[in-house]
Amino acid sequence: MPPAANRAKVVLTDDQVVQLDGVPVHQLIGPAAKAVKRFVDVVGGDANHALVRRSARLTVGRFSVGAYDVVVAPPFQPALFVRFLLYALRVDLSRYASNATSGVNVESTRGDIFLALMAALLVAEVEGLVRGHISKSYVRADRLVSSLQGSIRWEKNFGRHPAAGWLCSVYEQVTDDTLNQLILAGLASAAELLTNTERSTAATTQLSIWRQLARPAVPTPVMFENAERRMSRLTEHYRPAIALSRALTLGLAPSDLTSDGATNLNNLEFSLPTLYENFLVRLLTPCASRLGLELDFKHRYFEALTDAEGAPYRRVEPDIVVLKEGRPVGVIDAKFKPRYVAADLLNSAEPSGLITNEDIYQLFFYQSRLQSMGQLTYLPRAVILAPLFGGHASSSVARRTVLWSDRGSEVGSPCLRVIPVPIEKALKGLESSSEYEVASMHLPEVLSELVAMAS
């Protein structure tokens, strides 16, 4: 594999097709290319090149193939993506009320948005570490003391008058240990990456603080391995920051920044649909609780679909089931499909894209299943929440509502609504307001649905 300085960088945005010369197409379509398929769809090629475009799976991140570092960019601004990711990872956004998390351009001088993202995340992590428990280690040292402490060094005290003090060997707690040295090394790289960005000041501030806690050290893979192996219950919270420091200093990228135990360091990968689900659960849980509702996230129903012998055939997994006093009153599906709510350019009342048959059938199935499971005399409400990035949502609620008009049932026909979630407005509001206040101001349709479910 060519060194980093000689590697070409390719940034995939929208549905553009890019040619990767020197990458045989068979390398990207075999079983060994499973990870690559999450990022890109192969649309053609031969033994000398491959034609790829961003995957419909909406996985963003960076990976290496042949002589290329391929960056799959998010479909919105990098600074917004950083906030979106931080909130989905349950970071307190009020930290960033007065400054942007990252003002980094995709074409930054070193690396790409995801290197800059890791730098911004590391700064955010160490800001939290400074306010919490700082790692300390015991170091043995000889001290001249007036009263006995630790272990007296008899061989060095012969001939010394007691009034001159006792030379004793003591153990002292210091912050200059491997964990803090590795954090300092990561911050040095982060400060370089964030130069001339809106997070530059925060990075240099943290760099100055951690220079007082530890001495500079040249990080090596062995240092990181030893540090991770020696983590204790008191230092487990260092793990994400150590993974980020390793990524920034050794040129690797973590695939999971929040997992417990050993962190695998390969490609940097973020699933937008998964992040969006986590974003919604965190945002809506306090709102539902205030209305006397409970959100059941990703509950797997293995008994919903069985074969003729009664064995589970396929699992059914609604994104969010809304419960009131233990009984289902609604189902919410998170679809990362902005076209469902964005206004059409020629007619603002119309959404720019219709809901697919698959999504409609899925929601109607969930409604029917929840009604049967709860032995209800009514159909639980069904809602699709789709993100809105800039622009305006379709102004007609009726055009975002789907009815099953020919069912003929005493308990009403299946019905679902698509509701916009303005991501940027919500994230900005969350810097200074509670989730319920943000929902009231920026997600009134969502809050109205929850109120209807609670009634």
Side-chain angles (χ1 to χ4, degrees):
M1 182 175 288
N6 299 328
R7 299 178 64 79
K9 184 177 71 173
V10 173
V11 180
L12 299 181
T13 58
D14 302 323
D15 291 326
Q16 63 177 321
V17 175
V18 172
Q19 179 171 313
L20 304 179
D21 293 322
V23 179
V25 69
H26 67 82
Q27 288 188 3
L28 303 183
I29 59 177
K34 183 177 180 181
V36 174
K37 291 179 182 178
R38 293 198 292 269
F39 291 97
V40 297
D41 292 329
V42 179
V43 297
D46 54 30
N48 299 314
H49 72 275
L51 298 174
V52 300
R53 65 184 172 198
R54 187 169 65 183
S55 173
R57 299 184 183 185
L58 292 172
T59 297
V60 300
R62 64 194 304 269
F63 68 96
S64 298
V65 58
Y68 298 92
D69 287 328
V70 181
V71 179
V72 184
F76 43 93
Q77 291 298 315
L80 179 59
F81 177 71
V82 173
R83 277 188 168 87
F84 178 63
L85 175 63
L86 290 176
Y87 186 76
L89 295 180
R90 298 192 173 275
V91 173
D92 181 8
L93 288 190
S94 63
R95 297 184 196 174
Y96 310 108
S98 60
N99 57 3
T101 307
S102 173
V104 182
N105 189 282
V106 172
E107 298 298 333
S108 57
T109 55
R110 177 188 167 199
D112 50 60
I113 174 183
F114 293 103
L115 282 175
L117 169 60
M118 286 187 287
L121 286 175
L122 177 60
V123 172
E125 281 291 331
V126 299
E127 285 174 339
L129 291 179
V130 167
R131 293 192 292 269
H133 174 77
I134 295 294
S135 175
K136 296 179 181 179
S137 300
Y138 283 97
V139 176
R140 182 175 175 174
D142 289 341
R143 293 285 184 266
L144 187 65
V145 295
S146 58
S147 58
L148 294 180
Q149 297 179 16
S151 301
I152 188 169
R153 299 293 302 274
W154 292 107
E155 74 282 6
K156 293 189 176 183
N157 282 287
F158 284 119
R160 182 189 298 276
H161 194 280
W166 298 90
L167 194 64
C168 296
S169 181
V170 298
Y171 284 88
E172 299 177 336
Q173 271 194 331
V174 298
T175 59
D176 186 24
D177 63 7
T178 303
L179 282 176
N180 293 329
Q181 289 172 0
L182 293 176
I183 294 295
L184 178 60
L187 280 172
S189 297
E192 178 186 345
L193 283 165
L194 296 175
T195 300
N196 298 324
T197 73
E198 296 182 16
R199 288 295 284 164
S200 177
T201 301
T204 53
T205 298
Q206 290 302 315
L207 185 59
S208 175
I209 292 173
W210 287 80
R211 279 174 174 163
Q212 300 176 47
L213 298 175
R215 294 171 298 174
V218 179
T220 64
V222 173
M223 286 182 65
F224 282 103
E225 291 169 8
N226 290 337
E228 292 175 354
R229 188 163 48 244
R230 294 173 183 173
M231 281 184 186
S232 66
R233 179 179 57 84
L234 294 177
T235 56
E236 179 65 26
H237 59 294
Y238 267 69
R239 194 173 296 279
I242 290 297
L244 288 164
S245 292
R246 179 170 183 166
L248 292 171
T249 56
L250 301 184
L252 301 173
S255 58
D256 184 355
L257 305 180
T258 59
S259 65
D260 296 329
T263 304
N264 296 322
L265 296 171
N266 293 300
N267 299 319
L268 184 60
E269 178 179 337
F270 300 102
S271 167
L272 290 179
T274 300
L275 289 176
Y276 182 55
E277 290 169 359
N278 294 335
F279 168 87
L280 288 177
V281 170
R282 185 180 179 190
L283 177 62
L284 298 182
T285 296
C287 303
S289 178
R290 183 162 175 170
L291 296 170
L293 301 173
E294 180 184 354
L295 301 185
D296 188 9
F297 178 57
K298 288 291 187 183
H299 186 105
R300 295 181 178 181
Y301 299 95
F302 291 97
E303 72 284 1
L305 293 173
T306 66
D307 61 20
E309 295 180 351
Y313 189 77
R314 283 188 181 274
R315 71 171 183 261
V316 174
E317 189 179 81
D319 288 343
I320 303 172
V321 174
V322 185
L323 304 172
K324 181 179 181 181
E325 298 176 351
R327 306 188 75 183
V329 293
V331 58
I332 298 174
D333 211 37
K335 298 295 185 187
F336 198 88
K337 299 178 179 179
R339 66 182 184 275
Y340 283 1
V341 291
D344 184 81
L345 295 178
L346 300 178
N347 184 351
S348 61
E350 297 277 351
S352 60
L354 298 179
I355 311 171
T356 63
N357 285 341
E358 291 82 359
D359 289 345
I360 294 173
Y361 299 155
Q362 183 183 46
L363 265 293
F364 285 170
F365 175 82
Y366 289 160
Q367 272 189 308
S368 178
R369 171 60 188 166
L370 292 174
Q371 181 190 23
S372 173
M373 183 181 67
Q375 298 181 343
L376 308 175
T377 58
Y378 58 87
L379 276 172
R381 301 179 73 89
V383 179
I384 289 177
L385 298 185
L388 180 69
F389 297 100
H392 299 283
S394 163
S395 60
S396 173
V397 176
R399 298 297 296 166
R400 291 188 272 109
T401 303
V402 180
L403 303 173
W404 189 350
S405 60
D406 64 347
R407 188 184 182 213
S409 170
E410 295 181 359
V411 296
S413 298
C415 169
L416 71 88
R417 288 181 60 193
V418 182
I419 298 177
V421 178
I423 298 292
E424 188 168 6
K425 291 180 179 179
L427 290 172
K428 185 64 178 177
L430 288 165
E431 293 177 358
S432 56
S433 303
S434 69
E435 279 80 3
Y436 190 87
E437 292 170 334
V438 168
S440 299
M441 289 184 292
H442 304 299
L443 287 79
E445 288 188 57
V446 177
L447 193 57
S448 294
E449 277 294 323
L450 291 175
V451 170
M453 293 175 188
S455 61

